[in-house]
Amino acid sequence: MTTIGVIGASGQVGTEVCLFLKTYPDVCPVAIVRTGISGAVLRRLDVEVRIGTLGDPYQCRDLLGDCDLVVDFSVKSGEVADIKAHYRGNISRALECTRPEARYVFISTINAFGMGARFNRAKQYFVPHSVYAYTKRYGERLTMRLGKRLGKETYVFRLGHVHGLLQRVSEETRQLVRSPYRRFEYPDTPSYTIFCHTIAEGLVHVAQGGERPGVYTLISEPPWSWREVLQYYAGPDSGIEVELRHSAARAGPLRGAAAALQGRAMQFLDAYGETLRANVLHHAPSLERRATAYLYIRRAKQQIQELQSLNVYRPRDTHEGVFPGPRLARISDSRFSMSAKTDQVREMLSRIQGPSRLPDR
Amino acid sequence: MFKSHLPLLRALGADIPWILDIDKTRAQAVAKAFAIPLALGADELALATATGVVLVACPYGSRAPYYRFLVGRPAAIYVEKPIARSVSELERICELRPDYALAAGFLHRSAGVTTIVKALIEDEVFGNLRRVRSEFGTATVISSGGSFAKEIALAGGGQLFESAIHNIDTVCYMGGISRAVVRECRMEAEGQFDLHTEARVQLTDARGREIELELLVTCFHNTQYEIEMEFDRARLSFSLFKRKPLTVRALQGQRNYRLLDAAQADHPRDAYDVLYVFWTDFLSGLEVQRPNYTSARTTMVTASIIEQLYRLGVGGEAHSPATASTNLFLP
């Protein structure tokens, strides 16, 4: 039996991953939570719960001493110093208080690549553009450095957008495809979604020694297109239309510059059109008529486009591009592999949710 | 408080002479950040100087000594929600001050959407209000983010008491509810800590009209955080917790329409503008010595619903910290 200790198991991802781990007959997930009440939902789902903090080394040994793998989903909010102290405490204790052969996985996210509000492309940024990215990078570095020093196999999972039966982002997508929008426009670059099923699968492979230590980007492999993601939640015969549009950034610098120049020219005309008419154009009536006609046509096109775009959903802040970083070698294609285990997890959840509230997907 | 009241009060130009926290280091850090001259620890209450208003924003279960301290002092009091788990507890707290000088921080009452819906109900634009359905909760999220929120002795309850109480209070406020009877309550809890609550509450407004409230607060699955109101001729839906527009549709209709106030749209709707309106209305009432919607006494029905839900849900009277706090501060 492989015992996997899950720190921060009471969160949405931690809970669902515990349930997927339970579907493996030779795996025993153990939820580590700080307070008794934090384990309330997990206990109702028949997950073994251990209560305590990693602050005390003796308690830490009791909590993690028999684990073959420890995975840390915990998050801390607040000031940077507090978050770093939290990671420092958790990572060092987890590595010090487990058996020599036990492995450790630090759960990070693709935000560690460093994106920020104005730096949205999917790529590795040298400077992190959010505090979240900075603190996650700190935790990642610490994990790999301490692992090396203590001779332990350590891993970092940079999770994409996590989907699953309990996940808020799944619920939002479900609501989106049921909304009045029938047309959706997404980038034609792959989605960065990952299902809890695949996270659990990756952890099992790590626990069994099937993956090499390192920092991994955890996105479904092969990645789902945005069309597949929406159609998964919409189901067959939903009638939704998903268009994958080319990125403006990939249109080439010349086209980009031309578009920008045209935009500036139109701004100028909007601002000074009446001035030009009053002082210049009326000297050439034919040119004035053509210029006016051009502006009216442009305005008509603009208004038609605005009207049509009301029926089209275009997500904001989607990261375009392909996230870099190695992928786990042995994870399966979730399109085909996750349905049976998802049914098992749905069955477990029906104990607390009641059958009427269970999502289909 | 670091993110809400203090920035707002500073933006209003309020003079804040001292701050007190159970953790003095934290009090000092906050005092430094907001240029507050005096930072006090839990055992330094006696050093607190006289002020016009005292904001009690510490967790519900830790307020007893502060109420006791305030008994003999003239300052008006703003108590952060949740304020009481029972009507008798709230009544005893209300005895501390005249109604205009004791506010309970149910600040969603100030939100633009609340003002619009309250007016629609009062003006009977869609007929009488018949039924309300309120849902709150996210899968696995058993408490608010506060570090105290998982300690029942401090929090006083789970999501129902700590956060979903906003939905209950706002519905009662909008509907002008004067009486509430919980008809059914199915609560799953760990001790006094609610995890899942489904209830049916019979509300009665000031004119004696009955409205049925269906309540769901859960950490077992994701909800839409929506409040849906059914009137004679239309159905309204909105959310206090998500940026979701106020929409209306005919009872049998398929089309949704957005509702906005002609002048104010749906403002105030953000953290600070809502808090700003609440604070300024409280201070205005204080100045003219006239109670308004910020008064703690106007939240009696909310306290009554909470009391009944916990009594039916987990049995017995309000749990010990609440009882203790009501007993301790009274002279």
Side-chain angles (χ1 to χ4, degrees), chain A residues 12 43-44 168 353 357, chain B residues 138 188 190 220-221 223:
Chain A
Q12 255 178 22
R43 272 193 297 275
R44 281 164 173 74
R168 174 57 70 181
Q353 293 184 334
R357 290 209 170 91
Chain B
T138 295
E188 183 143 354
E190 293 243 322
F220 290 163
H221 60 90
T223 71

Side-chain angles (χ1 to χ4, degrees), chain B residues 43 73 85 93 108 126 170 241-242 256 296 314:
Chain B
D43 54 350
R73 286 167 174 77
R85 275 221 357 185
I93 293 169
H108 285 282
F126 303 115
T170 310
F241 294 91
K242 288 173 84 175
N256 289 312
V314 294

Side-chain angles (χ1 to χ4, degrees), chain A residues 39 81 86 95 111 128 153 157 178 185-186 198 204 235 248 255 296 316 341 344 350 360:
Chain A
H86 167 81
L95 288 171
N111 285 300
E153 292 192 351
F157 282 7
R178 286 177 196 160
E185 247 183 56
Y186 274 73
T198 307
V204 171
R255 273 196 189 177
Y296 282 151
R316 280 192 236 162
K341 286 191 182 295
Q344 284 177 261
S350 70
D360 301 332

